[in-house]
Amino acid sequence: MLKNYLKVALRNLWKNKGFSAINIIGLASGLAVCLLIVLYVTDELRYDKHYPHADRIYRIDADIFFNNTSAIFAVSPDPLGPALKRDFPEVGEITRVANQGGILVKKDNRNVQDDHAAFADSTFFKVFSLPMIAGNPLTALRDPNSIVIDETTAKKYFNTTDVLGKTLLVDNDNYCKITGVIKDIPGQSHFHFHFIRPRGKDNPSWLSNNRYNYVLVRPGVTKQKLQKDVDATISNYLGKELQDQLHASLNDLKKTGGHFNYHATPVTDIHLHSDKQYEIEANGNISYVYIFSVIAVFILLIACVNFMNLSTARSANRAKEVGIRKVAGSLRLHLITQFLTESVLISFFSLVLAVLLVMLLLPLFNQLAGKAMSVATLFSTWLFPVMLVLALVVGCIAGSYPAFYLSSFQPIDVLKGKIAKGFKSSWLRSSLVVFQFSISIMLIIGTIVIYNQLDYIRSRKIGYNRDQVLVLHNAWYLDKQIHAFRNELLNISGVENATVSGDLPTGNNFDTEGWFRDATMDAKRGVVLTDFYVDENYIPTLGMKIAAGRNFSRDFLSDSTGLILNEAAVKVLGLKEPLKEILYRPDFSNNNVNGAVAYHIVGVVKDFNFSSMHQDVGPLLIQLGDNRGSIAVRVHTQNIISIINIIQNRWNAAAAGQPFSYTFMDDDFNKVYTAEQQTGKLFITFAVFAIFIGCLGLFGLVTYAAEQRTKEIGVRKVLGASVGGIVAMLSKDFAKLVLIASVIAFPVAWWAMHTWLQSFAYRTALSWWIFVVAGVAAILIALITVSFQAMKAATANPVKSLRTE
């Protein structure tokens, strides 16, 4: 019986090749998009789950707030981890990590820069069980001069992984002995260290947040229990130090609305649920996982809708077949099984084509999404069976209505010709077309809004001029020659100015400190301010504006304790005459508070964005300091390549053997919004697929609508109807449906994009023209699709169409 069903199904599919091709291509496109998004979502959800005890690893994060200023860090006090291990048996192991960032490694008589290095406790591999190719994970980080590298790094420097006992010259003055080689850390990890070295001296201060504290709890210990232990530790130790050194208890802070909270964050939640300052790497966003999952379901539904629409549209063509089968004694169950067999067969053909499409499109999708996903994941132990089940379910769902609908025809009605329903008679088919184009229009609106917001970010005045600013990285390689080098740059034609500072507005992980308005340094009256350490050339080089007072000057020796505040800091501090005020901060020499250091305010700078536009401009304090992280060079020339070459030559003369690395400040600014740029590109891709699938369905529907109205079209032409009139007749019903789809899509899209825009402190408006453009685009696309087949029907010879009747 099954063999007969398959034989008849294949015969019908081959007989109606055009119908079959439209259905298979439509379903395959929907399945391909669905599979691509499944790969993306699976990749995002797999982060940090490769560790054997991933469900028991936590990172302790800081959440500090007082006097309307806050600091939320991925780091916490250095002594926190050891205190938890010492005081609570629930804690099995701890490790502390310091992100070193850049590291210099000597290779072939030249230094090579690597930006993935860290310092860690010797217990690092007890918490993070990374596979070790060579070496003992329990002892690899015990020697102060040891270093552990990953497999790729070993091959990069030695062309082999057999490197135990060999040495690397690190940062020009440290000979480190290789004591371990680990396999490359998987891509789905919130850190990717190529070099791991032993930590140095401990910092005993509980008021200094400077380490990543990771905790491995014992089996059976819940997050809630660990959180209670963290709270107790903070109360016992940090609370005491706060009282001793800043004259306030944690309870005193709570009474004024402030707090020092530390949260246990599961390591598996970091990538999608953590966006704090000092994150080791940029994380993902769970919102985008939800959004893309919904889009996958919708596009798959659009593809299923196509199948149902085209199958029911063909009801008149297959009505006689159903009537004859029933007269011949066929049961309704047999007919349902036959139609479902055809549907499932189309679904499996579509799945094969979808997998081929995924293999073809995955490299481009990886580029758009910033991923490195592999087609092999499709054939993993769980995903391949899911694909087969998905094809079966899609085939049954898509074919269910046609199967039950067609099998319900009564033989007598069929044979009398009463079953000849055209397009207009099916409200369900019309509703499905409306659903298809509603989703397409929402995706078009989403794409326009995302790109509008990105354009708004790029064009908005942000308080400084980032254009034509060359940023030279790792300027500390110049050591004592750095200021002479800066002065030498000014002699180059086309160089307008230059400043030495690692605290550039396009950076991240800035220092944050507590500041006070009086020397008693009462924590209840303190504020948390972001601190920039700059030279006197910083503000003029970056084109910032002084709102009051003056810039720093080497002519004023007192500027060594001078401050420039931004307008947000003045507001938070409540300063009416800021230039007459003194601010104080703790003197943390010898890791203890030894009184207060006084600073006087010399100027106020207009607010400028130094963090993502997702947040308002925060309170900022700028002071003179010897921060040699970068040199920002403002240039004014048409021949930028020539200037870069001259600067590189000067660099090579001043820092022989040190790598020359640079970026442009506007590129650094744009990188902050990489996630939004990728989302915009993906939205365009999904919108194109949704429209393509919808248009395939429309093309099929208008084809069968024209077939069913062949006699009517012939009669109209004989009576003098124009080609344009017939095209309009066939097109207007579809245009009406797209208009209805627009009315439904507009409020839903407005709500969705309004919600998304709320995540930006600075955002574009949801203008009316966005919805008009999306609606008009959808109507034009639909009309172009429909008119192609309508024109063909309208220009056909009426004699032939009437002769067939």
Side-chain angles (χ1 to χ4, degrees):
M1 197 68 175
L2 179 61
K3 182 179 179 181
N4 183 61
Y5 288 145
L6 290 172
K7 185 184 295 183
V8 174
L10 289 170
R11 186 182 300 149
N12 276 322
L13 294 179
W14 182 252
K15 181 181 177 182
N16 301 281
K17 292 185 282 293
F19 160 80
S20 302
I22 290 174
N23 261 330
I24 291 173
I25 293 172
L27 266 179
S29 300
L31 283 168
V33 173
C34 188
L35 290 175
L36 286 171
I37 295 177
V38 166
L39 286 175
Y40 173 87
V41 170
T42 302
D43 186 84
E44 288 288 281
L45 295 177
R46 285 170 56 191
Y47 267 71
D48 294 302
K49 292 184 178 178
H50 50 274
Y51 302 113
H53 311 299
D55 59 327
R56 295 193 281 121
I57 303 174
Y58 297 84
R59 187 185 69 190
I60 311 301
D61 300 334
D63 176 7
I64 302 167
F65 180 86
F66 50 94
N67 289 337
N68 295 318
T69 56
S70 64
I72 301 177
F73 301 141
V75 290
S76 49
D78 201 337
L80 176 57
L84 286 169
K85 175 73 183 298
R86 180 176 62 248
D87 296 346
F88 298 99
E90 297 88 358
V91 175
E93 194 54 83
I94 66 98
T95 191
R96 294 164 295 177
V97 175
N99 186 18
Q100 184 181 356
I103 184 175
L104 275 182
V105 182
K106 183 73 75 176
K107 180 186 180 183
D108 300 330
N109 296 318
R110 63 184 180 89
N111 280 319
V112 178
Q113 171 81 22
D114 194 294
D115 295 325
H116 300 276
F119 295 102
D121 286 327
S122 61
T123 53
F124 180 82
F125 295 108
K126 291 183 180 180
V127 176
F128 298 103
S129 302
L130 295 168
M132 190 164 275
I133 298 173
N136 185 343
L138 300 180
T139 60
L141 293 175
R142 286 185 181 174
D143 190 319
N145 294 317
S146 60
I147 190 169
V148 174
I149 61 177
D150 66 6
E151 185 176 7
T152 297
T153 302
K155 292 177 180 177
K156 176 181 178 180
Y157 289 94
F158 300 100
N159 296 317
T160 178
T161 57
D162 185 18
V163 295
L164 281 187
K166 295 184 178 181
T167 60
L168 286 171
L169 178 57
V170 176
D171 294 334
N172 293 318
D173 56 6
N174 293 314
Y175 284 92
C176 296
K177 181 180 178 182
I178 300 174
T179 53
V181 179
I182 58 173
K183 285 191 175 181
D184 292 346
I185 297 175
Q188 295 85 11
S189 177
H190 75 284
F191 59 69
H192 297 89
F193 301 132
H194 300 162
F195 302 86
I196 305 173
R197 301 163 66 188
R199 288 181 67 251
K201 189 177 181 181
D202 290 346
N203 180 353
S205 173
W206 284 85
L207 297 177
S208 179
N209 296 284
N210 51 17
R211 293 292 181 270
Y212 300 95
N213 275 281
Y214 294 96
V215 177
L216 175 66
V217 298
R218 298 190 187 280
V221 178
T222 63
K223 176 184 174 181
Q224 291 74 19
K225 180 63 179 76
L226 174 61
Q227 187 61 58
K228 288 181 180 179
D229 295 345
V230 171
D231 293 342
T233 303
I234 293 301
S235 179
N236 292 339
Y237 296 97
L238 189 147
K240 182 177 182 302
E241 189 168 313
L242 188 69
Q243 180 71 60
D244 292 345
Q245 300 188 8
L246 298 180
H247 318 297
S249 67
L250 290 174
N251 287 330
D252 291 335
L253 283 182
K254 287 181 181 178
K255 291 176 183 178
T256 60
H259 59 246
F260 272 82
N261 291 336
Y262 289 84
H263 304 292
T265 302
V267 73
T268 51
D269 285 354
I270 290 174
H271 178 67
L272 290 176
H273 299 274
S274 183
D275 185 25
K276 302 176 175 66
Q277 192 172 350
Y278 302 118
E279 294 285 356
I280 296 176
E281 295 180 9
N283 290 327
N285 190 327
I286 189 64
S287 298
Y288 292 135
V289 171
Y290 294 146
I291 290 170
F292 291 142
S293 298
V294 171
I295 289 175
V297 173
F298 278 158
I299 288 181
L300 190 58
L301 284 175
I302 288 175
C304 292
V305 163
N306 265 3
F307 185 93
M308 296 173 70
N309 261 343
L310 293 174
S311 297
T312 54
R314 292 181 66 243
S315 59
N317 300 52
R318 302 197 66 176
K320 190 175 290 186
E321 174 193 342
V322 171
I324 293 173
R325 281 173 176 268
K326 285 198 170 185
V327 168
S330 180
L331 298 177
R332 187 183 183 193
L333 178 62
H334 294 161
L335 291 172
I336 291 173
T337 306
Q338 178 64 57
F339 290 128
L340 283 178
T341 301
E342 291 181 20
S343 175
V344 171
L345 204 57
I346 287 176
S347 184
F348 275 103
F349 285 153
S350 300
L351 177 63
V352 173
L353 180 57
V355 171
L356 294 176
L357 282 173
V358 169
M359 295 172 69
L360 181 66
L361 296 175
L362 190 57
L364 176 61
F365 187 75
N366 277 333
Q367 186 177 352
L368 291 175
K371 293 285 186 182
M373 298 175 290
S374 168
V375 177
T377 308
L378 286 175
F379 305 100
S380 63
T381 52
W382 69 271
L383 192 53
F384 185 67
V386 168
M387 286 195 302
L388 296 178
V389 172
L390 179 65
L392 180 62
V393 170
V394 167
C396 290
I397 292 175
S400 58
Y401 178 76
F404 286 97
Y405 175 64
L406 293 175
S407 64
S408 67
F409 291 170
Q410 295 299 317
I412 190 168
D413 292 331
V414 172
L415 297 177
K416 286 182 177 180
K418 293 183 179 180
I419 306 297
K421 300 179 181 179
F423 174 78
K424 294 181 180 177
S425 63
S426 177
W427 64 267
L428 177 62
R429 193 152 60 249
S430 301
S431 301
L432 294 177
V433 170
V434 169
F435 171 79
Q436 282 183 310
F437 271 86
S438 293
I439 301 302
S440 299
I441 291 167
M442 283 188 275
L443 287 173
I444 293 172
I445 291 171
T447 300
I448 295 173
V449 172
I450 289 172
Y451 274 89
N452 262 12
Q453 175 63 17
L454 291 174
D455 183 65
Y456 174 80
I457 288 171
R458 284 190 290 265
S459 59
R460 182 183 179 274
K461 293 182 179 180
I462 54 176
Y464 66 94
N465 184 1
R466 64 180 184 272
D467 296 328
Q468 286 206 309
V469 177
L470 187 70
V471 180
L472 310 182
H473 300 288
N474 308 316
W476 53 72
Y477 298 152
L478 296 165
D479 200 22
K480 296 178 181 180
Q481 301 180 68
I482 190 166
H483 295 293
F485 179 79
R486 181 258 170 192
N487 293 333
E488 190 176 343
L489 293 180
L490 299 181
N491 296 324
I492 300 174
S493 177
V495 173
E496 293 187 344
N497 210 337
T499 179
V500 177
S501 176
D503 291 325
L504 298 177
T506 51
N508 53 22
N509 297 342
F510 304 120
D511 287 342
T512 304
E513 290 188 82
W515 288 81
F516 305 86
R517 292 192 61 182
D518 57 64
T520 62
M521 295 190 301
D522 186 341
K524 297 188 296 296
R525 300 184 61 191
V527 295
V528 178
L529 301 178
T530 299
D531 289 12
F532 276 17
Y533 294 89
V534 306
D535 64 12
E536 69 276 14
N537 307 298
Y538 186 87
I539 289 175
T541 298
L542 298 184
M544 297 168 180
K545 304 298 182 184
I546 295 291
R550 60 176 176 82
N551 185 26
F552 295 122
S553 172
R554 293 293 178 184
D555 295 332
F556 295 92
L557 296 179
S558 60
D559 276 5
S560 61
T561 56
L563 302 175
I564 295 177
L565 305 183
N566 71 347
E567 294 168 314
V570 171
K571 184 177 179 180
V572 165
L573 288 162
L575 305 179
K576 295 181 179 179
E577 296 183 275
L579 301 182
K580 297 180 180 180
E581 296 284 349
I582 302 293
L583 295 183
Y584 300 85
R585 72 168 178 82
D587 177 8
F588 278 106
S589 58
N590 299 320
N591 295 320
N592 286 297
V593 177
N594 299 305
V597 181
Y599 289 80
H600 61 287
I601 301 171
V602 302
V604 176
V605 67
K606 285 185 174 294
D607 282 341
F608 60 90
N609 288 94
F610 58 90
S611 60
S612 166
M613 292 214 189
H614 288 281
Q615 296 101 31
D616 288 310
V617 174
L620 173 70
L621 179 149
I622 304 174
Q623 56 186 308
L624 282 176
D626 193 21
N627 186 339
R628 304 182 179 185
S630 306
I631 300 177
V633 184
R634 176 165 297 284
V635 298
H636 182 70
T637 180
Q638 297 299 320
N639 193 355
I640 190 68
I641 299 300
S642 175
I643 280 191
I644 291 174
N645 290 334
I646 294 171
I647 292 175
Q648 184 172 6
N649 290 335
R650 303 285 174 89
W651 173 281
N652 292 337
Q658 308 300 345
F660 177 72
S661 174
Y662 71 91
T663 56
F664 289 98
M665 186 171 281
D666 54 350
D667 291 338
D668 295 337
F669 177 85
N670 292 333
K671 286 177 184 176
V672 175
Y673 306 98
T674 299
E676 287 78 11
Q677 292 167 2
Q678 290 173 346
T679 302
K681 293 175 183 176
L682 291 175
F683 254 77
I684 287 180
T685 304
F686 298 147
V688 168
F689 266 99
I691 292 168
F692 171 71
I693 296 168
C695 288
L696 274 179
L698 269 186
F699 182 80
L701 284 178
V702 74
T703 299
Y704 285 105
E707 281 184 13
Q708 291 174 19
R709 302 176 73 172
T710 300
K711 183 178 180 180
E712 177 189 347
I713 293 170
V715 171
R716 285 178 179 272
K717 289 195 70 176
V718 168
L719 294 177
S722 65
V723 172
I726 293 174
V727 171
M729 177 192 74
L730 290 172
S731 303
K732 66 180 182 179
D733 292 324
F734 295 99
K736 288 178 183 176
L737 295 180
V738 178
L739 281 173
I740 295 171
S742 299
V743 172
I744 294 172
F746 287 170
V748 178
W750 180 90
W751 172 82
M753 298 319 298
H754 175 76
T755 303
W756 180 75
L757 285 172
Q758 296 308 302
S759 66
F760 291 88
Y762 306 93
R763 51 187 175 268
T764 186
L766 274 173
S767 303
W768 60 269
W769 65 264
I770 295 174
F771 299 91
V772 173
V773 168
V776 170
I779 291 174
L780 287 176
I781 292 169
L783 288 178
I784 290 170
T785 304
V786 170
S787 61
F788 175 79
Q789 189 62 29
M791 184 70 71
K792 182 179 178 182
T795 55
N797 189 340
V799 174
K800 290 184 178 180
S801 62
L802 293 175
R803 184 183 297 164
T804 59
E805 299 292 329

